[in-house]
Amino acid sequence: MAAYLIRRLMVSVLILLGVSFITFFLLYALPADPVRQIAGRSATAQTVENIRQQLGLDQPLLVQYWRYLTGLVQGDLGRSYLQRTEVGTLIAARLPASLLLMAGAIGCELVLGLTMGVIAALRRGTATDQTLMIASFVGVSAPQFVVGLLLLYVFAVQLGWFPIGGYGTWAHLVLPSVTLGIMGSGWYSRMMRSSMVDVLRADYIRTARAKGLARRRVILRHALPNAILPVIAMIGIDIGIFMGGIVVVESVFGWPGIGQLAWQAIQRVDIPIIMGVTLVSACAIVIGNLLADLVTPLIDPRIKLR
Amino acid sequence: MSDTSGTQPVRALLPVTGPRPKGVWARLMRRKLALFGLGLIVAVVAGAILAPWLTPYDPNEQRFEGLTLTGAPLPPNADFLLGTDLLGRDLLTRILYGARTSLIIGVVANGIALVIGTVIGVTAGYFRGFYGAVLMRFTDLMMAFPALLLAICLAAIFQPSLWIVAMVIAIVNWVQTARVLYTETTSLAEREFIAAEKTLGAGHARILIRHILPHLVPTIIVWGTLGISTTVLLEATLSFLGIGVQPPTPSWGNIIFENQTYFQAAPWLVFFPGAAILILALSFNLLGDALRDVLDPTQRGRD
């Protein structure tokens, strides 16, 4: 186990190194010149050159990358070109909002997805089952920005139940969480259904029924806990999916998280911020996948980590 | 189909239980949801191809009577069935022409992604060793990328056009296919018939193309179908953010992008293109899911 963990962590570091390398070179291939952005339109050639030197952008790319890496291992993500603030500080200020949003989305996925899945499995083959599974397909196929705009229109503009956008109270959290979580709810309900169907077929369920336990007890005590575990293991994978979704959801709802930070930075060619957010996202994805893999053998002891 | 004659005697030896298994097509046709999905796909394709005959308007024509006297877009009415947009263009016409964009990107981007994924996954799974390890570590690396962020960066680097957007989506989307095909190929490559082929002196190219690839066709079809759905959604998202297909070329995503500031007053400008995206993505998901059930023997009888 320890050996496995160490190897996985080492591979993770290599993966993150690769991500940083590729992102770095992609961003510096951008046709837009960040120095021009900083200096403004009326800047003289001399000013532009000065800024370029100041930022070290006149150095060869590999030298720049090496500098970035040495900063990185000391926990320094560099400074924003435009705001002159440490990227680390900027991200740290925005991260809690994004994490809150993701937690809300996971809650939505679990509540909606698991409930739908369990009901569908128990009513297998009926119209209820069919309807729920079509609903799950709709959830998986719905573009997040459309869901977000529609929810805003119906529940904020027309009904006035929730605020139109922004951040602060619990009411602000509801619509963005549902928007971010609706796709996952679709996947969870499908996984939960098939997991539950498998468990309900198992011998120990037949035994439990045969020894006279009530249906309710069999389902809640014997079937549900076993069926739910493999689905829970997927939460780690979700983090990776969220990292893309938050850019869209945060921009629709004006949610002040790292997705919006990245989106603004991309529009302003603020490369250090884009680098920073990409790396933080990649970290989250790697950790999420690792967690998912570590949880699996706890749930199913037949699976051994190699 | 020359394989069928070889398996026929074996089948005759097996005890007959129930009706003879029907063809893939027949089994697919029995599934209502798959038929529904297929019907929707046919409708969207027909709408895209027949667009010039289905609507009297031009997608980029800004009509004077398409706006109110104060310059606001018109809600759905008899002349403009789905209403008009901020510039007085007929929304239905733009959605019909936008279907072309979605379908072209869906097919092209997904096609490129499938080719990349298949080549990487299959060769890595067949050759293993150093070459396979390098390719699969690269695949892992791509999986750690936040796909949407990567696509946004790429789209910002290249000036987005229809084909660039297709390339960007392909670069982001081949990873899943590669992983699935890698796993299948590694187990296939260890089967006896591959060893037999090698003993008979078949070259790698022959084994890969004549013996491995045909076994992977069902998986490729399933992932290819489901992938179109992902691709359509990604294109819509990029266009919605303003870095996908650029106006005036209509795309369902950029219709919403152009009109979103006005959506509280004119919700149809978000609703109809949004519904179009949902319908197309849904139909490919339904079809792909049914294909998986029909083509994958381990899934048989689960529903």
Side-chain angles (χ1 to χ4, degrees):
Chain A
M1 183 69 192
Y4 172 83
L5 198 62
I6 290 169
R7 219 189 51 237
R8 275 298 297 266
L9 285 174
M10 272 161 58
V11 171
S12 301
V13 170
L14 281 181
I15 285 177
L16 290 177
L17 203 65
V19 170
S20 76
F21 185 80
I22 292 179
T23 320
F24 195 88
F25 283 87
L26 271 180
L27 289 176
Y28 284 89
L30 276 171
D33 183 357
V35 180
R36 283 265 165 219
Q37 293 267 332
I38 303 162
R41 240 171 250 168
S42 53
T44 61
Q46 187 56 46
T47 332
V48 169
E49 217 33 61
N50 282 344
I51 296 175
R52 198 182 297 280
Q53 270 182 16
Q54 239 177 36
L55 294 172
L57 290 174
D58 53 340
Q59 305 280 323
L61 258 186
L62 272 172
V63 175
Q64 289 185 41
Y65 180 62
W66 180 249
R67 274 198 195 158
Y68 187 82
L69 269 191
T70 43
L72 198 62
V73 291
Q74 298 164 40
D76 178 12
L77 286 166
R79 272 172 191 280
S80 154
Y81 285 163
L82 296 173
Q83 305 181 41
R84 302 295 160 95
T85 324
E86 296 255 347
V87 173
T89 319
L90 281 171
I91 291 179
R94 300 286 198 115
L95 202 54
S98 288
L99 291 177
L100 182 66
L101 180 57
M102 288 188 212
I106 291 177
C108 163
E109 287 180 344
L110 290 179
V111 171
L112 264 180
L114 298 190
T115 317
M116 281 169 67
V118 170
I119 295 176
L122 293 177
R123 302 245 184 290
R124 185 160 162 249
T126 65
T128 319
D129 178 21
Q130 285 262 325
T131 316
L132 285 173
M133 284 306 106
I134 294 174
S136 79
F137 268 119
V138 172
V140 167
S141 316
Q144 282 170 326
F145 58 96
V146 175
V147 174
L149 288 172
L150 282 183
L151 288 178
L152 266 181
Y153 182 72
V154 175
F155 293 103
V157 177
Q158 293 292 315
L159 298 172
W161 291 355
F162 298 103
I164 289 189
Y167 175 68
T169 66
W170 290 108
H172 287 99
L173 181 63
V174 177
L175 295 182
S177 301
V178 173
T179 308
L180 189 60
I182 218 151
M183 189 175 272
S185 305
W187 291 123
Y188 275 45
S189 66
R190 300 182 59 71
M191 280 187 296
M192 188 65 206
R193 178 182 179 277
S194 77
S195 168
M196 191 77 179
V197 165
D198 282 349
V199 168
L200 286 175
R201 265 198 211 133
D203 289 338
Y204 60 84
I205 295 296
R206 198 187 316 155
T207 310
R209 293 292 285 273
K211 73 183 181 187
L213 288 185
R215 181 181 150 83
R216 194 187 159 78
R217 190 174 163 81
V218 172
I219 289 167
L220 289 181
R221 284 292 307 248
H222 295 256
L224 205 55
N226 285 300
I228 242 171
L229 285 174
V231 182
I232 298 287
M234 302 305 291
I235 290 178
I237 310 284
D238 263 358
I239 296 172
I241 299 166
F242 285 155
M243 280 301 165
I246 55 171
V247 177
V248 176
V249 175
E250 288 180 3
S251 96
V252 168
F253 287 93
W255 189 264
I258 57 169
Q260 221 185 27
L261 183 70
W263 178 226
Q264 286 162 355
I266 287 168
Q267 288 167 315
R268 297 177 195 153
V269 208
D270 203 335
I271 292 174
I273 298 186
I274 310 177
M275 273 300 292
V277 176
T278 308
L279 280 180
V280 169
S281 310
C283 263
I285 295 173
V286 167
I287 293 171
N289 287 343
L290 185 59
L291 280 181
D293 287 352
L294 289 179
V295 167
T296 315
L298 298 179
I299 291 165
D300 186 348
R302 284 169 298 184
I303 297 171
K304 289 263 185 301
L305 293 176
R306 280 180 295 119
Chain B
M1 280 289 109
S2 58
D3 283 3
T4 338
S5 56
T7 56
Q8 216 56 40
V10 180
R11 181 171 287 162
L13 291 174
L14 294 169
V16 180
T17 55
R20 243 172 66 99
K22 291 201 187 96
V24 166
W25 188 250
R27 272 183 282 142
L28 192 65
M29 287 302 103
R30 278 216 315 268
R31 290 168 177 268
K32 280 184 203 142
L33 282 181
L35 276 181
F36 180 63
L38 199 60
L40 288 178
I41 295 170
V42 171
V44 174
V45 172
I49 294 175
L50 301 176
W53 294 278
L54 288 175
T55 157
Y57 307 108
D58 180 273
N60 294 321
E61 187 187 8
Q62 304 181 12
R63 297 185 73 88
F64 183 67
E65 72 274 23
L67 293 172
T68 64
L69 290 176
T70 52
L74 294 174
N77 60 55
D79 286 334
F80 305 99
L81 291 176
L82 299 183
T84 58
D85 72 359
L86 292 183
L87 297 175
R89 295 173 296 192
D90 180 45
L91 185 60
L92 176 63
T93 308
R94 285 190 72 73
I95 289 180
L96 285 174
Y97 281 89
R100 295 181 170 186
T101 311
S102 282
L103 287 170
I104 289 174
I105 292 209
V107 170
V108 172
N110 193 50
I112 303 171
L114 266 187
V115 171
I116 302 176
T118 307
V119 168
I120 291 191
V122 171
T123 54
Y126 178 72
F127 292 110
R128 310 283 287 275
F130 179 71
Y131 171 81
V134 168
L135 281 185
M136 288 329 282
R137 287 298 85 74
F138 181 62
T139 311
D140 287 345
L141 201 159
M142 289 296 295
M143 287 195 72
F145 258 110
L148 190 62
L149 269 182
L150 178 64
I152 291 172
C153 290
L154 284 172
I157 292 173
F158 307 106
Q159 290 308 310
S161 74
L162 192 72
W163 306 107
I164 293 294
V165 173
M167 275 307 295
V168 165
I169 294 174
I171 292 172
V172 177
N173 265 354
W174 57 268
V175 190
Q176 292 291 344
T177 319
R179 285 209 69 93
V180 172
L181 291 179
Y182 170 79
T183 320
E184 283 200 21
T185 309
T186 46
S187 72
L188 265 178
E190 280 167 10
R191 298 257 294 271
E192 286 89 350
F193 71 97
I194 299 296
E197 273 302 313
K198 279 187 185 154
T199 323
L200 289 171
H204 292 314
R206 185 186 163 86
I207 294 179
L208 279 173
I209 293 166
R210 290 289 303 267
H211 299 281
I212 302 242
L213 220 46
H215 283 269
L216 299 173
V217 167
T219 314
I220 295 176
I221 290 177
V222 169
W223 281 90
T225 313
L226 293 172
I228 291 186
S229 172
T230 323
T231 310
V232 167
L233 287 176
L234 193 52
E235 183 273 322
T237 305
L238 289 177
S239 297
F240 165 73
L241 291 171
I243 47 172
V245 178
Q246 296 298 306
T249 307
S251 127
W252 295 338
N254 77 26
I255 294 175
I256 299 178
F257 165 70
E258 286 182 301
N259 298 300
Q260 63 164 326
T261 47
Y262 213 69
F263 95 99
Q264 293 189 21
W268 63 89
L269 291 174
V270 170
F271 180 76
F272 291 121
I277 302 166
L278 172 68
I279 286 173
L280 194 57
L282 176 67
S283 57
F284 279 105
N285 268 335
L286 289 175
L287 185 64
D289 189 68
L291 277 170
R292 171 164 47 204
D293 289 351
V294 168
L295 291 173
D296 181 355
T298 61
Q299 295 282 325
R300 205 162 290 160
R302 281 171 64 99
D303 282 291

